[in-house]
Amino acid sequence: MNWYGLYTLFSKEVWRFLKVAIQTLLTPIVTVLLYLLVFSSVLSSHVQVYESVDYAAFLVPGLIMMTIIQNAFANTSSSLFQAKTIGSIVFILLAPLSSWECYLAYVGAAVVRGLLVGIGVWIAALWFVHLPLHNLLILLIFSILGSAILGTLGIIGAIVSEKWDHLSAFQNFVILPLSFLSGVFYSVNNLPGIWREISHYNPFFYMIDGFRYGFLGVSDVPIITSLWITTIFMILVAAICLRILQTGYKVRG
Amino acid sequence: MSILIQQVHKYYHNLHALSEIDFNIPQGCFFGLLGPNGAGKSTLINIIAGLVYATQGTISVMGHDVRQQWRQARQSLGVVPQELVYDPFFTVNELLRLQSGYFGLGRRNQPWIKELLEILDLSDKTKVTMGHLSGGMKRRALIAQALVHKPPIIVLDEPTAGVDVELRQMIWAFSKRLHQEGHTIILTTHYLEEAETLCEQIAILDQGKMIALDTTHALLGRYPYRMLKLNLTTQNIKIPSTLAEKVQSLTQNELILKLHREHDPIGAILETLRDAGIHFTDLHTEEPNLEDVFISLTHREKS
Ligand SMILES: Nc1ncnc2c1ncn2[C@@H]1O[C@H](COP(=O)(O)OP(=O)(O)OP(=O)(O)O)[C@@H](O)[C@H]1O
Ligand SMILES: [Mg+2]
């Protein structure tokens, strides 16, 4: 293993988003606060998802997780896609870095950005709502898994896409629907039959549900189920991504 | 041998970009890779560097297969890409430190980076972001970047394209110096004069095929013609029929003849001219240059 090389690439990726922190950290936090302001004030008097949990407290964990995963995806996909289009990716390809090392560096940075944004939203949300904290370890596990999964999907998206168009289609028609329909704004148990069924096939649902459990101590499906499914999904996307990196698909044409 | 290339083919869909490339580059050689646009020079270089995978064939760099022992192979190569590519976010110094880090080199390498910056005259630009450098400075930064890990083999893909005279001289001097220090250098260029003065061996690619591989000296010898230039004093001359097909150009006061090195002895030619009443004040011969060889080779192939 070229550990120092891996560390260098990781710190470069972290450095990259820190250089534009207003765009990469502050903007997502402010955006979530706007969501929160609108949804919780309009809906809190009408909607109750779990007994003894008011809607805002239900909503916030979902919003935090959604922000985490979206930013993790944005981090790898934009960095790699940009490197690919401007050609600066050659300097990584010329270096003695393996697919694993590149993978870990990129995903590591995506996780760091995810966690920073997540913590930012959490702290900011505390001004608006009272949010319990049930289990910090669960929170940590799910936020790392979630951002790693989306970081991985970001790598795949950036490699497969040939134009910005493709990448934004991947983001708008795959990532966004999956995260919006994963029960961020509602409990899937309240959905009518067929939609509830379908939701259970959405891997993002388990990430959000497990993460929310970390705050509230209640969830739609047992936490252990969410943990398993999220872990298996993580392994699956990582395997696909590593395979793509190893074959040099669209990169070492 | 520093680089062994065996039976390499590359297809881009239906395009046979490289076909049956097979040659070696000796250690310490200053090697020129020539060919017209689209010949496949960059493709070959990219395959050597591992940036592109060959469809068929193997390449080893300092005894390391570029696909199997890629770590060692990449450690041995410093590549300056043809395009001016760079990460616009970072400064020159950051860029070099990062690249050095990718190669597993930490702070210990800092003195070498500093030296590189000095050699390439970038010392006062270390804190400037890449996007704010001029084209020539970017080119120098890319050269520095290729050398951060002190590779024994240096690959320069058209390093002098679009640079001013001064920078071209600098790149020439620098690559000569690296060569004298024992580095193997692979250079692609469209300036034949550049290849002629710098390279010891030359390969010429055309449409993905290798059409020549020889020492520069032997390659020049392959073109058996030289030019005889005469400054005429007689106007409106009539060229004798025996010389007609040797005329390369004829103006009011200059006649250029293309002569075969063996079949057209200069003495006999001058006699023929004198007999035809053609007088001149001065004459000189021009030995062939790489351009002649290049044109004759790449044209012959096409027809
Ligand atoms: N990624 C690619 N996909 C498809 N075709 C390619 C690709 N890269 C190169 N080619 C084709 O392969 C051929 C060789 O290109 P290459 O860049 O190696 O030429 P070159 O000799 O370096 O030319 P130049 O002197 O213009 O730099 C060209 O016909 C080019 O269009
Ligand atoms: Mg080229």
Side-chain angles (χ1 to χ4, degrees):
Chain A
M1 279 293 267
N2 176 1
W3 286 109
Y4 194 79
L6 190 168
Y7 166 75
T8 308
L9 184 55
F10 164 78
S11 43
K12 180 208 143 196
E13 285 302 304
V14 171
W15 200 358
R16 203 191 75 93
F17 76 72
L18 289 181
K19 281 199 176 204
V20 282
I22 292 184
Q23 183 202 326
T24 55
L25 298 179
L26 199 60
T27 308
I29 294 170
V30 172
T31 309
V32 177
L33 290 182
L34 290 175
Y35 268 111
L36 199 59
L37 223 63
V38 174
F39 282 95
S40 67
S41 64
V42 173
L43 298 175
S44 57
S45 47
H46 310 283
V47 186
Q48 177 121 38
V49 184
Y50 296 129
E51 264 175 73
S52 79
V53 178
D54 70 6
Y55 182 65
F58 172 86
L59 181 63
V60 169
L63 284 179
I64 295 178
M65 190 56 162
M66 200 169 80
T67 315
I68 290 177
I69 63 179
Q70 278 178 357
N71 279 277
F73 180 84
N75 206 61
T76 50
S77 64
S78 64
S79 170
L80 201 56
F81 189 78
Q82 194 190 33
K84 212 175 81 165
T85 36
I86 63 181
S88 62
I89 196 173
V90 297
F91 299 111
I92 292 159
L93 301 177
L94 286 170
L97 288 164
S98 69
S99 310
W100 263 105
E101 286 150 4
C102 291
Y103 175 75
L104 291 175
Y106 272 93
V107 169
V111 170
V112 171
R113 171 148 159 210
L115 294 184
L116 285 179
V117 174
I119 291 166
V121 174
W122 184 10
I123 291 171
L126 286 177
W127 294 87
F128 295 83
V129 287
H130 170 72
L131 195 60
L133 173 59
H134 180 70
N135 187 330
L136 189 62
L137 185 64
I138 293 283
L139 281 184
L140 203 60
I141 291 174
F142 274 90
S143 46
I144 290 174
L145 277 175
S147 46
I149 288 171
L150 270 289
T152 308
L153 291 175
I155 297 177
I156 296 174
I159 289 178
V160 172
S161 303
E162 274 157 24
K163 307 187 271 183
W164 265 120
D165 244 17
H166 298 163
L167 188 59
S168 64
F170 190 69
Q171 180 156 23
N172 292 322
F173 298 117
V174 181
I175 304 298
L176 213 58
L178 284 178
S179 41
F180 267 88
L181 302 176
S182 62
V184 171
F185 302 101
Y186 50 80
S187 160
V188 297
N189 285 339
N190 298 345
L191 290 175
I194 176 76
W195 289 106
R196 190 187 327 167
E197 288 287 302
I198 292 174
S199 295
H200 281 92
Y201 287 99
N202 179 0
F204 288 31
F205 158 68
Y206 300 92
M207 295 189 310
I208 306 262
D209 200 52
F211 184 75
R212 187 182 287 125
Y213 177 88
F215 280 108
L216 307 180
V218 281
S219 52
D220 287 356
V221 297
I223 180 69
I224 195 73
T225 311
S226 300
L227 190 56
W228 266 114
I229 293 180
T230 308
T231 307
I232 289 169
F233 190 54
M234 168 82 241
I235 294 170
L236 187 75
V237 292
I240 294 170
C241 183
L242 280 161
R243 185 79 200 127
I244 289 177
L245 292 175
Q246 272 154 7
T247 54
Y249 179 71
K250 291 211 176 173
V251 168
R252 296 190 201 255
Chain B
M1 285 295 159
S2 60
I3 296 186
L4 295 177
I5 301 169
Q6 287 172 316
Q7 294 297 323
V8 166
H9 289 259
K10 177 67 186 178
Y11 287 90
Y12 286 116
H13 303 286
N14 291 327
L15 178 76
H16 205 167
L18 286 178
S19 149
E20 239 195 306
I21 304 299
D22 198 307
F23 66 96
N24 304 330
I25 299 175
Q27 201 134 4
C29 180
F30 204 129
F31 193 91
L33 195 54
L34 308 185
N37 285 131
K41 305 179 295 295
S42 297
T43 303
L44 181 59
I45 277 179
N46 289 342
I47 293 175
I48 294 172
L51 289 175
V52 168
Y53 291 152
T55 315
Q56 221 187 84
T58 56
I59 292 185
S60 77
V61 173
M62 301 297 278
H64 307 293
D65 186 279
V66 294
R67 291 297 300 277
Q68 254 75 52
Q69 295 147 306
W70 49 269
R71 262 192 226 276
Q72 293 91 325
R74 286 183 207 166
Q75 286 282 2
S76 312
L77 282 172
V79 180
V80 184
Q82 177 173 359
E83 301 331 316
L84 279 179
V85 290
Y86 55 90
D87 201 328
F89 278 100
F90 294 97
T91 68
V92 176
N93 195 38
E94 288 166 352
L95 210 72
L96 297 184
R97 269 172 39 207
L98 287 172
Q99 197 65 21
S100 154
Y102 298 159
F103 279 86
L105 303 167
R107 279 186 192 286
R108 276 172 297 119
N109 203 31
Q110 201 56 34
W112 169 238
I113 291 178
K114 201 154 171 279
E115 196 182 328
L116 266 178
L117 287 167
E118 265 157 34
I119 300 171
L120 287 158
D121 201 14
L122 287 167
S123 297
D124 54 340
K125 301 286 174 197
T126 54
K127 292 198 174 68
V128 181
T129 53
M130 283 299 283
H132 291 161
L133 293 179
S134 78
M137 293 170 195
K138 282 179 192 137
R139 178 70 67 190
R140 279 180 277 151
L142 290 186
I143 295 174
Q145 201 175 357
L147 298 177
V148 283
H149 57 296
K150 298 189 179 169
I153 304 171
I154 294 150
V155 181
L156 301 156
D157 196 353
E158 291 189 37
T160 52
V163 307
D164 69 4
V165 181
E166 199 183 339
L167 179 53
R168 184 178 311 168
Q169 299 285 355
M170 200 227 96
I171 291 175
W172 285 12
F174 186 53
S175 51
K176 271 188 200 159
R177 171 178 158 181
L178 290 168
H179 178 235
Q180 271 155 15
E181 288 168 2
H183 290 89
T184 305
I185 302 199
I186 302 168
L187 172 87
T188 80
T189 177
H190 285 284
Y191 300 108
L192 297 158
E193 179 203 351
E194 177 171 305
E196 204 174 314
T197 43
L198 293 173
C199 301
E200 299 162 321
Q201 277 191 44
I202 286 174
I204 300 180
L205 284 180
D206 190 26
Q207 297 180 327
K209 297 195 184 65
M210 195 147 81
I211 55 170
L213 170 68
D214 222 327
T215 62
T216 310
H217 184 73
L219 213 52
L220 291 172
R222 258 199 226 186
Y223 186 81
Y225 297 98
R226 56 185 158 188
M227 300 296 166
L228 177 65
K229 230 184 228 185
L230 302 160
N231 292 51
L232 303 173
T233 47
T234 13
Q235 313 262 306
N236 304 321
I237 56 164
K238 194 174 170 301
I239 305 287
S241 59
T242 50
L243 295 183
E245 63 171 18
K246 303 191 199 304
V247 175
Q248 190 79 6
S249 85
L250 173 61
T251 60
Q252 276 290 316
N253 38 30
E254 190 186 65
L255 170 64
I256 301 178
L257 295 172
K258 179 178 168 185
L259 302 178
H260 194 280
R261 213 186 284 271
E262 276 140 33
H263 306 158
D264 304 315
I266 289 186
I269 301 288
L270 294 181
E271 225 158 275
T272 317
L273 288 171
R274 201 174 322 128
D275 292 347
I278 300 172
H279 299 285
F280 47 87
T281 52
D282 195 9
L283 92 174
H284 59 268
T285 57
E286 256 174 34
E287 290 303 313
N289 56 28
L290 212 43
E291 194 159 336
D292 302 315
V293 182
F294 184 81
I295 289 170
S296 80
L297 280 169
T298 50
H299 272 53
R300 202 184 305 150
E301 278 295 304
K302 267 168 200 155
S303 56

